[in-house]
Amino acid sequence: MKKFYLILLSAMLLSGCTSEKPVVEKPETIRFYVTSDTHLYNPEIVENKELFDDLALNQGDGRLLNYAPEIFNAFIDEVIKTKPEFVLFTGDISLEGEKTSHQWIAKQLSRLIDNGIQPLVIPGNHDIMNPSSRTYGNPSSYINTVSAEEFASIYSDCGYSNALYRDENSLSYVYELRDNAWILMLDTARYEENTVLGSEGTGSIRSETYDWIEEIAEIAKEKNVQLISSTHHNIIKQNEYFSSDNTLLNTLKALRIFDERDIRVNFSGHIHAQNINTKEKENGVITDICSSSLLVYPSQYGIVDYVPFKELNYSTKAIDISTWASQNNNDPNLLDFPEYSYNYFKQSSTSRGASRFKSSSHTAEEIAQLLDAKGTLNCYYFAGRILEIKDSFMASDFYSWLIEQDETTSGYILSMLKTNGLDPNKITIDMSK
């Protein structure tokens, strides 16, 4: 058996004690929250806010980078108020892996710990050894990023120091949710392959880590413990139009081992879109629940109620940022956050890829309709709410015209209308099978 970093918990008897400390039994249901792709930064690296705000909007992916610290603080306050036991952060915690940003984030997460809530983190492709780590000013300057060892040290209290087991070949670890339920927090980032040109966006599980998963699963079986897992990259493709690079490069191996070892539920992120997909395997169904980015409309997070060996219920909730703003900074954009974030995401995502339509032979009116449809559907698709408008959109004259167009014009828009029959924001999973 390979070397493990086993955290042994021992009871110490104090001399002179005449009574034992009462044991507080935990409830059967484990409640935890899930969020992903927070892309946070230390506000101090933004030396020119006007320039940064313009840069954020021009990214074209709809992330509200200009309000990232405020959105995150509103989330932390909401978590403290509602008190889950754990909060999963499934990677891309930082904007571009700045060391100062990781330190700032860890400080914010300490507020959860101080309130008895355990954050559990894993890295994403932006977080470690990122050559794009820099300040945002005129001019900008490159600043220190972090190594894998530094990442684990900075987030020591967020899963690493109190892990049950750690993988010596990656930043993967096992955390005990209950004595009969463990979560595999799996490192899928390929930061060793980053170059001066940028960070490697694809993900995989290392060969040695698969061996480690097999050994953990064997221990779990012996102890009658149920395993669930979390990754940054998807283990099941969530949208046929999205690049397969968003899914683990060795996903077939992951699904085979998960199936053989009875790991039935995984939480992922990376694509910034809310979705749920399943895969029927030889021994049962595997479910990959993909969380949208916390910075993308409608800035929501997952709520999980899990009873080991019985049932897992998942739903989503948007952060009440408007109420938070009324109590903290009265920023007009945040006071009317649902409308502001919707319009921001629509504007930003409409501009991305617009050249595809403009280079075609379509009229100005047709291009305007294509861009509007793209922006509107993006808002609903990435929020996991496409079912709300799918029927009305498909009944429109524009849809009748769209389906007659070539793949370049219609492909992406039509892909957002294809569903797998699952509600992207809600699922109940029978964990007894």
Side-chain angles (χ1 to χ4, degrees):
M1 183 177 289
K2 291 182 180 295
K3 178 182 176 183
F4 290 108
Y5 295 101
L6 175 59
I7 312 301
L8 297 175
L9 303 177
S10 60
M12 298 184 65
L13 299 176
L14 299 178
S15 175
C17 291
T18 58
S19 62
E20 295 183 0
K21 186 176 180 180
V23 176
V24 179
E25 289 192 14
K26 294 183 178 180
E28 183 181 27
T29 300
I30 306 166
R31 167 160 284 199
F32 61 90
Y33 294 168
V34 187
T35 187
S36 191
D37 298 87
T38 51
H39 293 285
L40 290 159
Y41 53 87
N42 184 338
E44 292 181 1
I45 70 172
V46 180
E47 300 168 352
N48 184 325
K49 189 174 188 309
E50 184 177 342
L51 181 68
F52 180 80
D53 289 354
D54 184 58
L55 171 69
L57 181 61
N58 290 334
Q59 289 285 323
D61 58 10
R63 287 177 298 166
L64 280 159
L65 291 171
N66 51 335
Y67 282 115
E70 290 84 355
I71 292 170
F72 190 64
N73 279 319
F75 174 63
I76 294 294
D77 285 353
E78 192 160 305
V79 173
I80 291 172
K81 183 178 179 180
T82 53
K83 291 193 178 301
E85 290 185 60
F86 310 96
V87 183
L88 271 57
F89 294 85
T90 66
D92 279 359
I93 305 170
S94 67
L95 180 55
E96 297 291 358
E98 311 86 7
K99 184 174 184 177
T100 182
S101 294
H102 283 303
Q103 292 168 332
W104 182 87
I105 296 164
K107 186 176 181 180
Q108 312 315 308
L109 293 181
S110 68
R111 294 175 54 208
L112 296 181
I113 298 169
D114 292 343
N115 282 273
I117 301 163
Q118 178 63 61
L120 300 173
V121 308
I122 47 174
N125 52 287
H126 280 254
D127 290 322
I128 295 174
M129 297 168 61
N130 191 337
S132 300
S133 175
R134 62 189 177 97
T135 61
Y136 295 83
N138 194 7
S140 292
S141 59
Y142 290 100
I143 55 177
N144 288 338
T145 183
V146 297
S147 65
E149 293 76 14
E150 287 173 318
F151 182 92
S153 176
I154 290 171
Y155 295 106
S156 174
D157 294 333
C158 301
Y160 286 100
S161 66
N162 48 359
L164 191 61
Y165 300 98
R166 282 190 57 186
D167 174 29
E168 63 182 5
N169 296 294
S170 74
L171 288 177
S172 302
Y173 61 95
V174 177
Y175 199 89
E176 183 179 72
L177 304 177
R178 286 289 187 276
D179 57 7
N180 65 343
W182 299 347
I183 185 165
L184 287 161
M185 302 294 292
L186 298 175
D187 173 13
T188 61
R190 303 171 68 198
Y191 35 83
E192 300 95 337
E193 299 175 47
N194 291 352
T195 69
V196 293
L197 300 178
S199 60
E200 175 57 56
T202 60
S204 63
I205 296 175
R206 295 160 180 79
S207 302
E208 300 85 353
T209 301
Y210 277 122
D211 295 337
W212 176 79
I213 292 172
E214 296 259 29
E215 294 181 355
I216 293 296
E218 196 62 37
I219 297 172
K221 183 178 179 181
E222 292 172 1
K223 294 179 177 290
N224 195 31
V225 170
Q226 189 165 62
L227 291 176
I228 59 175
S229 64
S230 180
T231 57
H232 178 61
H233 298 81
N234 311 138
I235 64 168
I236 301 173
K237 194 169 186 179
Q238 297 287 344
N239 182 302
E240 66 178 45
Y241 201 84
F242 286 3
S243 171
S244 58
D245 289 349
N246 295 318
T247 309
L248 293 180
L249 298 181
N250 50 8
T251 188
L252 293 178
K253 184 175 182 180
L255 291 172
R256 176 179 61 79
I257 291 176
F258 279 31
D259 182 51
E260 291 173 351
R261 295 301 186 169
D262 206 27
I263 304 168
R264 297 290 153 201
V265 178
N266 184 71
F267 297 93
S268 64
H270 189 51
I271 61 174
H272 297 185
Q274 181 69 39
N275 204 47
I276 299 173
N277 207 354
T278 60
K279 196 77 171 179
E280 182 77 44
K281 299 297 291 181
E282 183 177 347
N283 299 309
V285 175
I286 296 175
T287 303
D288 189 13
I289 300 173
C290 178
S291 295
S292 55
S293 168
L294 199 69
L295 299 189
V296 167
Y297 170 81
S299 294
Q300 61 191 10
Y301 57 93
I303 300 174
V304 180
D305 287 317
Y306 169 40
V307 182
F309 293 104
K310 292 185 180 179
E311 188 174 85
L312 186 147
N313 287 288
Y314 172 88
S315 61
T316 61
K317 182 182 182 300
I319 309 169
D320 187 359
I321 293 173
S322 297
T323 298
W324 180 88
S326 69
Q327 299 169 351
N328 288 275
N329 65 8
N330 287 315
D331 184 302
N333 291 332
L334 299 182
L335 288 171
D336 193 16
F337 187 76
E339 182 175 357
Y340 170 74
S341 60
Y342 176 88
N343 290 332
Y344 184 100
F345 188 71
K346 182 177 179 181
Q347 177 188 354
S348 180
S349 62
T350 296
S351 63
R352 195 172 194 176
S355 58
R356 176 173 61 246
F357 301 139
K358 293 179 180 178
S359 63
S360 65
S361 59
H362 300 306
T363 67
E365 181 181 0
E366 289 169 343
I367 291 173
Q369 286 184 296
L370 285 165
L371 292 174
D372 184 71
K374 179 176 180 288
T376 300
L377 291 179
N378 264 333
C379 288
Y380 282 86
Y381 179 81
F382 277 76
R385 295 168 48 197
I386 198 68
L387 293 174
E388 294 179 19
I389 63 169
K390 179 180 178 180
D391 290 345
S392 60
F393 182 82
M394 293 180 67
S396 68
D397 291 338
F398 174 74
Y399 175 77
S400 299
W401 172 82
L402 181 66
I403 59 177
E404 299 297 327
Q405 308 307 307
D406 58 41
E407 171 70 14
T408 301
T409 298
S410 65
Y412 177 72
I413 295 176
L414 293 178
S415 76
M416 288 188 283
L417 299 174
K418 296 178 181 178
T419 61
N420 57 15
L422 298 173
D423 183 339
N425 281 294
K426 188 175 183 179
I427 192 169
T428 296
I429 303 171
D430 184 354
M431 301 297 289
S432 66
K433 296 180 180 180

